[in-house]
């Protein structure tokens, strides 16, 4: 964010942070409450998805369609589907700033060397090593408390289950598929992680997992590509100090979600200069300079490919190669599922993971019922 602030301040405007406690979508209720309560911020960041639908319907977010057309957003976006989550009834209401994906397996070469094992090439090889890693005194699967668990089941859904299963479950809301053999493999893989994780070894933050991977005390982790920000801060080199495998090494497609900026409509009487500053920021966020500076620091992929990415590390280059394929990106679960359905799945997954006596069949049936009622 400091990169955006630096560039915005250079325009003669002033960036003022109003950070919220916590991480991820936990901030959304506070953001939405402020806007609904008549105390909107000049700009706010949320994940791309359906969380802002009600604000758009209520006429509380600024229509950015004219800016998008004037600046040619439809021409330079790396994948046109990235704009879909920002569209409502043919108009654009947000600015995607990156392409993020949960669909990555991160591995520690140092940990596998310690255990006398080759670094796995995919999820199946990695999971087969859990017992040997434990015997060698290595944490098989590093995990941080709270929200980092939430993305793991969806990565397994697309990787272990396959991308067709992803679309049937999330896209078609096909509960019968959830009750079928392919989804059972996904649930079994999630249970395998549950059984491999010692609750006493769960660390407070995902940055701690990044440190475990670099130090070789944990063998690996499923996490979004933003974990690369932590590796970058530590000076770690992709392919040497850590390895990265998109799609769990089981397919060549990854989910294409990300972060986006929204611009609330400001109260009557607001200084026109502030409204102009909103437009300036919207344009700046997708500029070549801002896209390069922000994404190289954060470890995410830029939303445009007409920039010099020679400074991208080995992991970003893997992501960019997938992005170059017409079908490389899967629609984000945050786009396909409502916030309510997403939260129900989060609650179920957390409950299943925290209780090793929770039967697999009961988990599958509970999951199927959520998908059956999903909107």
């Amino acid at each position: 964010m400091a990169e955006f602030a630096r560039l915005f301040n250079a325009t003669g405007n002033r960036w003022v942070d109003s950070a919220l406690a916590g991480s991820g979508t936990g901030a959304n209720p506070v953001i939405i409450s402020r806007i609904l309560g008549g105390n909107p911020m000049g700009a706010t960041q949320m994940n791309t998805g359906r969380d802002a639908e009600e604000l758009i319907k209520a006429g509380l977010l600024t229509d950015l369609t004219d800016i998008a057309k004037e600046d040619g957003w439809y021409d330079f976006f790396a994948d046109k589907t990235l704009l879909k989550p920002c569209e409502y009834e043919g108009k654009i209401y947000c600015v995607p700033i990156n392409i993020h994906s949960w669909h990555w397996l991160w591995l520690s070469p140092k940990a596998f060397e310690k255990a006398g094992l080759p670094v796995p090439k995919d999820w199946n090889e990695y999971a087969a090593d859990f017992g040997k890693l434990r015997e060698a005194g290595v944490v098989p699967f590093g995990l941080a408390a709270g929200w980092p668990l939430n993305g793991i089941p969806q990565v397994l859904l697309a990787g272990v289950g396959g991308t067709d299963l992803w679309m049937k479950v999330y896209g078609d809301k096909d509960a019968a598929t959830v009750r079928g053999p392919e989804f059972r493999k996904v649930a079994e893989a999630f249970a395998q992680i549950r059984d491999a994780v010692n609750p006493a070894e769960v660390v407070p933050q995902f940055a701690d997992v990044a440190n475990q991977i670099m130090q070789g005390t944990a063998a690996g982790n499923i996490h979004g590509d933003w974990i690369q920000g932590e590796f970058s801060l530590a000076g770690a080199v992709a392919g040497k100090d850590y390895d990265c495998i998109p799609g769990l090494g089981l397919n060549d497609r990854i989910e294409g979600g990300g972060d986006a900026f929204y611009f609330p409509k400001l109260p009557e009487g607001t200084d026109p200069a502030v409204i102009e500053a909103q437009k300036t920021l919207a344009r700046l966020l997708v500029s070549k300079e801002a896209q390069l500076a922000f994404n190289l620091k954060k470890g995410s992929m830029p939303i445009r490919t007409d920039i010099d990415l020679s400074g991208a590390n080995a992991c970003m280059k893997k992501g960019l190669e997938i992005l170059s394929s017409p079908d490389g990106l899967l629609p984000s679960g945050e786009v396909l599922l409502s916030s309510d359905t997403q939260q129900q799945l989060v609650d179920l997954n957390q409950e299943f993971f925290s209780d090793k006596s929770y039967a697999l069949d009961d988990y599958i049936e509970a999951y199927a019922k959520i998908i059956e009622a999903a909107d």
Side-chain angles (χ1 to χ4, degrees):
M1 282 297 142
E3 293 298 323
F4 286 148
R6 173 180 63 81
L7 293 169
F8 183 67
N9 289 338
T11 67
N13 291 291
R14 188 165 64 96
W15 177 292
V16 181
D17 280 318
S18 180
L20 300 173
S23 300
T25 56
N28 287 0
V30 181
I31 293 169
I32 293 168
S33 177
R34 273 191 59 179
I35 296 171
L36 290 174
N39 182 31
M41 59 295 289
T44 191
Q45 181 257 309
M46 293 190 284
N47 294 120
T48 51
R50 297 177 60 182
D51 292 322
E53 271 185 8
E54 295 304 317
L55 295 174
I56 295 171
K57 291 177 183 178
L60 296 172
L61 295 180
T62 300
D63 178 359
L64 303 171
T65 310
D66 288 345
I67 292 175
K69 288 181 178 178
E70 289 171 14
D71 291 5
W73 291 7
Y74 290 98
D75 299 326
F76 63 65
F77 264 74
D79 189 307
K80 303 301 183 291
T81 62
L82 294 169
L83 276 170
K84 290 292 183 186
C86 289
E87 292 179 352
Y88 185 78
E89 295 185 345
K91 296 181 178 179
I92 296 176
Y93 290 91
C94 69
V95 186
I97 57 172
N98 58 6
I99 305 170
H100 261 318
S101 180
W102 270 99
H103 295 214
W104 290 84
L105 175 62
W106 307 94
L107 298 172
S108 170
K110 190 177 291 186
F112 284 93
E113 182 180 356
K114 179 180 178 180
L117 298 167
V119 177
K121 295 181 176 61
D122 60 33
W123 166 260
N124 294 329
E125 290 184 9
Y126 172 42
D129 285 341
F130 280 178
K132 295 175 184 177
L133 290 162
R134 177 65 71 186
E135 289 173 7
V138 174
V139 173
F141 191 93
L143 183 65
W147 67 269
L149 175 70
N150 299 342
I152 293 172
Q154 59 167 293
V155 178
L156 295 172
L157 180 66
V160 174
T163 55
D164 287 345
L165 185 69
W166 171 277
M167 291 307 302
K168 285 179 182 177
V169 175
Y170 283 177
D172 299 337
K173 318 295 189 295
D174 186 346
T177 299
V178 177
R179 296 184 175 103
E182 295 307 311
F183 186 84
R184 176 169 286 272
K185 294 177 186 176
V186 175
E188 288 171 346
F190 191 35
Q192 191 174 10
I193 297 174
R194 178 183 68 172
D195 294 341
V197 171
N198 180 344
E201 295 171 342
V202 174
V203 294
Q205 303 288 340
F206 77 87
D208 301 318
V209 177
N211 287 330
Q212 288 179 318
I213 290 172
M214 288 184 285
Q215 294 164 6
T217 57
N221 173 250
I222 292 173
H223 198 86
D225 48 18
W226 52 90
I227 198 172
Q228 286 200 94
E230 303 300 325
F231 293 139
S232 177
L233 282 173
V237 177
K240 177 185 175 185
D241 301 307
Y242 66 95
D243 274 351
C244 54
I245 303 179
L248 302 184
L250 302 177
N251 63 62
D252 56 0
R253 297 183 71 187
I254 57 176
E255 176 204 25
D259 302 307
F261 269 74
Y262 295 78
F263 296 85
K265 286 187 178 178
L266 302 177
E268 287 187 22
T270 297
D271 184 345
V274 177
I275 297 173
E276 282 302 310
Q278 288 182 312
K279 296 176 182 179
T280 297
L281 180 57
R283 288 188 156 102
L284 181 147
L285 293 170
V286 296
S287 69
K288 292 182 180 181
E289 184 179 6
Q291 278 293 299
L292 189 63
F294 174 77
N295 286 292
L296 288 181
K297 286 282 180 68
K298 196 168 192 287
S300 49
M301 293 180 286
I303 51 88
R304 57 193 301 165
T305 54
D306 58 345
I307 52 180
D308 180 10
L309 292 170
S310 58
N313 67 24
C315 294
M316 185 185 286
K317 287 177 179 176
K318 288 181 181 180
L320 291 169
E321 185 176 351
I322 290 174
L323 184 61
S324 67
S325 167
D327 299 319
L329 289 184
L330 282 170
S332 167
E334 292 169 335
V335 173
L336 297 173
L337 301 173
S338 69
S339 297
D340 180 58
T341 299
Q342 290 176 56
Q343 189 58 52
Q344 289 180 58
L345 291 176
V346 164
D347 292 344
L348 172 63
N349 290 326
Q350 290 280 355
E351 183 181 0
F352 177 73
F353 199 85
S354 63
D355 181 2
K356 295 191 178 185
S357 68
Y358 199 135
L360 192 70
D361 287 339
D362 293 340
Y363 169 70
I364 292 172
E365 183 56 28
Y367 201 112
K369 287 180 178 177
I370 292 172
I371 294 300
E372 221 160 29
D375 57 352

